[in-house]
Amino acid sequence: MITHFLRNHIIGDIKIVNLGEMAFICLYNRCLAIFLICIAFGYTSSSDLEIKVNPPEDFEIVDPGYLGFLYLQWQPPVSLENFKACAVEYELKFRSIGGGRWKTVITKNLRYKYGFDLNKGIEAKIHTLLPKQCTNGSEVRSLWSEATYWMPEQGNLETKIKDMDCIYYNWQNLLCSWEPGKGVHFDANYYLFYWYEGLDHALQCTDYIKANGKNVGCRFPQLESPDYKDFYVCVNGSSESKSIRSSYFIFQLQNIVKPLPPDYLSINVKNLLEVNLQWSIPRGSIPAKCFIYEIEFTEGDIAWVTTTFDNEMCIMRTSNGSHELCFSTRSKVNIYCADDGIWSEWSNEKCWKGMNSKNSS
């Protein structure tokens, strides 16, 4: 447009412009120069100026005394006045030191609670997130704020207890046992503490199992609503001669249930070929829908093992001879009620021969 304007105002070698036209031409040249400078330095408009936000303040990992259930907490970043209308979020990452992948959480809160294995250190980092609607269409993140946490490591590693084993018998009675660590003095003894959500504070075992006067296990009291929650245990020790390293454990009780075996079995042989096996649902408070069974069946020299979710099954004999038939079964909590479980003991064997049956132990 400007070149067209100038072309129309040139007579020979003389350019005829008035004062207003000259001002317009100068303004055009100035804008063109500024545009070229912006291109050279990567700016195209004032709306694309870089937006920054500070990381959260006072980021820390707090131990409330729950044996591994920790608080990760922080304060909002400073200088948020320009983003008061924005829903500021935080991206939190944490893991056990040397534990591989980070766990990531996006939250608007100023605290996050999580259970950690205190046998290892914990590292965490967090930054502030500004949503796209507050930053012209691109998410803005602050620098990271970082924190770490370690339990004080007192005593040599070999002084920790060994072979910790916890079983929730028949989904009612919890018992834990362990072996003493190596190299501990004769005056050393171990003590168990536990906590799960619902308790005000960690509790100490009140019924220790003893061997040679030393604590080697704990019988827990009747627990109130502990299922499907993380159960935290610490076993520490004391000795006048040397420090003892503490051990920490996290598990869920429904995953360590050991039920009773069925206590009634029957064999019903039809037409000498079809065999119906039945057994009672194990005694106790475990719902019938929560069981899986393993059946061991023998017919003469043939033996096999199978599993079923029902408390009966029908099989076909390999022959109609007079071979003795025997079976026993055991139970476990199934995948619909727990992630894992412990097989019960085997039931007493039930046998059949001819038209007579017998129990054998």
Side-chain angles (χ1 to χ4, degrees), residues 201-217:
H201 57 273
L203 301 177
Q204 184 181 177
C205 176
T206 57
D207 186 10
Y208 284 107
I209 302 169
K210 296 181 179 290
N212 299 320
K214 307 298 180 182
N215 298 334
V216 294

Side-chain angles (χ1 to χ4, degrees), residues 57-343:
E57 294 283 308
D58 303 325
F59 180 45
E60 60 180 342
I61 302 173
V62 178
D63 186 352
Y66 297 151
L67 312 181
F69 188 70
L70 305 181
Y71 299 163
L72 293 85
Q73 58 190 38
W74 57 93
Q75 294 299 320
V78 297
S79 304
L80 276 179
E81 289 81 4
N82 296 331
F83 306 103
K84 288 184 178 179
C86 296
V88 176
E89 295 182 329
Y90 305 96
E91 182 178 21
L92 173 66
K93 291 179 177 286
F94 53 87
R95 66 180 178 181
S96 296
I97 294 178
R101 292 185 177 181
W102 294 89
K103 180 176 176 61
T104 301
V105 174
I106 305 294
T107 180
K108 297 178 182 178
N109 299 322
L110 298 176
R111 174 186 285 181
Y112 188 77
K113 303 175 182 180
Y114 193 76
F116 293 91
D117 179 3
L118 292 188
N119 296 298
K120 305 174 183 178
I122 297 105
E123 58 182 340
K125 56 184 180 179
I126 189 171
H127 60 200
T128 311
L129 299 178
L130 292 180
K132 296 179 180 180
Q133 58 267 30
C134 298
T135 58
N136 299 324
S138 59
E139 189 177 66
V140 173
R141 305 182 179 204
S142 73
L143 297 175
W144 290 104
S145 181
E146 299 180 351
T148 58
Y149 182 81
W150 291 87
M151 283 297 292
E153 294 185 349
Q154 299 179 346
N156 296 329
L157 187 61
E158 64 180 8
T159 62
K160 295 175 63 171
I161 61 167
K162 302 181 299 177
D163 302 328
M164 180 70 158
D165 185 33
C166 293
I167 299 176
Y168 200 25
Y169 287 98
N170 210 27
W171 213 315
Q172 291 179 316
N173 302 308
L174 177 61
L175 187 148
C176 290
S177 60
W178 60 82
E179 294 289 333
K182 295 181 179 180
V184 295
H185 200 254
F186 71 91
D187 70 336
N189 207 350
Y190 294 93
Y191 306 94
L192 181 145
F193 296 83
Y194 65 96
W195 181 85
Y196 59 90
E197 190 173 0
L199 298 180
D200 294 332
H201 57 273
L203 301 177
Q204 184 181 177
C205 176
T206 57
D207 186 10
Y208 284 107
I209 302 169
K210 296 181 179 290
N212 299 320
K214 307 298 180 182
N215 298 334
V216 294
C218 175
R219 300 182 189 91
F220 289 77
Q222 191 70 33
L223 302 171
E224 184 176 348
S225 302
D227 308 327
Y228 300 100
K229 301 177 182 178
D230 285 338
F231 195 92
Y232 298 85
V233 172
C234 170
V235 181
N236 59 23
S238 65
S239 172
E240 294 183 359
S241 59
K242 64 190 305 184
S243 298
I244 295 177
R245 182 77 64 89
S246 298
S247 298
Y248 297 90
F249 307 89
I250 306 174
F251 48 84
Q252 292 196 351
L253 296 189
Q254 76 276 359
N255 295 330
I256 56 170
V257 170
K258 182 175 182 178
L260 295 171
D263 56 7
Y264 174 78
L265 287 68
S266 70
I267 300 177
N268 184 18
V269 180
K270 300 178 181 179
N271 303 321
L272 297 179
L273 287 177
E274 184 178 344
V275 181
N276 183 257
L277 308 177
Q278 289 184 313
W279 54 92
S280 61
I281 296 171
R283 289 178 290 109
S285 58
I286 304 175
K289 65 180 182 179
C290 289
F291 285 109
I292 187 173
Y293 304 95
E294 191 170 69
I295 298 91
E296 186 176 57
F297 181 82
T298 58
E299 181 185 7
D301 296 331
I302 300 173
W304 47 266
V305 176
T306 189
T307 58
T308 179
F309 287 94
D310 300 318
N311 64 320
E312 66 175 324
M313 68 183 307
C314 185
I315 62 173
M316 299 300 295
R317 297 184 62 187
T318 58
S319 70
N320 60 357
S322 60
H323 294 302
E324 183 178 57
L325 308 178
C326 294
F327 88 103
S328 60
T329 182
R330 59 181 183 174
S331 61
K332 188 174 80 166
V333 176
N334 63 39
I335 59 174
Y336 301 107
C337 297
D339 294 332
D340 202 355
I342 302 171
W343 284 108

